[in-house]
Amino acid sequence: MIDTKLPIAFQGVAGAYSDMACRAVFPGRETLPCESFEDTFATVVEGRADLAMIPIDNSSAGRVADIHHLLPNSGLHIIGEHFQKVEHQFLAPKGATFESVKIVRSHVQGLAQCRAFIRERGLTPIWHADTAGAAAEVAASGDVTQSAIASKLAGEIYGMETLAENVQDIEHNTTRFLIMSREPLDPEPDSGPAITSFVFRVRSVPASLYKALGGFATNGVNITKLESYIVDGTFKVAQFYADVEGHPHHRGLRLALEELSFFSREVKILGVYPASPFRLTEAEPSGD
């Protein structure tokens, strides 16, 4: 059971998009900033927070670095997902103008999502650990040549001027978050649309992935996300992260997972959880 007296952990500082996601999903709940993703996971494992809100990928900038490596050994289970609209603000200290600003700071994802705006303005981008942290640092400096790309909430918290709103390159800029807990959710198979997330490994030999995933095609299971990364120094073993539609107790997915286990190694379920309504309302394209 979730202890609602404990906060929700996120990576970053107050005003980060992860902070906004926590507040959107759990209004009124306390949020707990953590310095790194490892610290965020540890905070929940050690019982200092109930849940962790973890960004996994963005519709314009791709996956969030390191998350796929950290998830399998985090000690936590995925119990939900949240799609957060990301509307970047161009923030600067009081007294700054477009003409005075020369440098823009933000997380690498924030900078990547605003490439066109940065290039058009001729700004020098500098990476920061997180968007809200960049805003806090720029605000504290008072340097009118500095700016930050961060959330509206960060601008309000740190008392910054908003020189421009919604500076992201594409309108549909959205980040998908995973909600993680010490205990699995284990929803009823017939309680509604579900997502199952898991990792597995295959050897880097011809047709290994084709054989491992064949059961999903033959059993009509839709794969909505599939990403790979190398896990050993020889570059001969790849680990894959996958999201599929359905519950493991459904016949099609059960058979597909059995076939996957036959052709691959170390299949590990990371979570079974309700599909976000966003998947239906936004009519996301199939990942197959």
Side-chain angles (χ1 to χ4, degrees), residues 73-91:
N73 300 311
S74 68
L76 302 179
H77 304 268
I78 305 170
I79 64 166
E81 62 178 353
H82 171 66
F83 292 82
Q84 179 75 34
K85 185 75 175 292
V86 176
E87 297 176 327
H88 288 303
Q89 314 302 305
F90 184 48
L91 307 172

Side-chain angles (χ1 to χ4, degrees), residues 50-180:
D50 284 329
L51 306 171
M53 185 71 70
I54 304 296
I56 188 167
D57 48 24
N58 175 269
S59 61
S60 63
R63 72 183 183 187
V64 177
D66 297 333
I67 293 302
H68 296 75
H69 288 282
L70 297 173
L71 282 177
N73 300 311
S74 68
L76 302 179
H77 304 268
I78 305 170
I79 64 166
E81 62 178 353
H82 171 66
F83 292 82
Q84 179 75 34
K85 185 75 175 292
V86 176
E87 297 176 327
H88 288 303
Q89 314 302 305
F90 184 48
L91 307 172
K94 299 291 186 182
T97 65
F98 273 119
E99 291 71 29
S100 71
V101 171
K102 307 300 180 185
I103 293 172
V104 60
R105 299 178 182 271
S106 192
H107 186 272
V108 61
Q109 284 268 337
L111 296 174
Q113 293 162 24
C114 303
R115 285 192 185 96
F117 177 84
I118 293 170
R119 186 169 55 250
E120 178 185 342
R121 294 287 171 184
L123 300 170
T124 300
I126 297 179
W127 292 4
H128 198 280
D130 58 83
T131 56
E137 183 176 298
V138 171
S141 74
D143 185 349
V144 296
T145 68
Q146 304 273 335
S147 65
I149 288 176
S151 69
K152 180 179 180 180
L153 177 62
E156 294 172 351
I157 290 174
Y158 302 112
M160 303 184 74
E161 298 275 10
T162 301
L163 297 185
E165 298 181 339
N166 298 337
V167 297
Q168 62 274 5
D169 292 344
I170 57 176
E171 179 62 27
H172 65 69
N173 192 29
T174 302
T175 296
R176 178 176 176 241
F177 289 84
L178 299 178
I179 304 167
M180 306 194 69

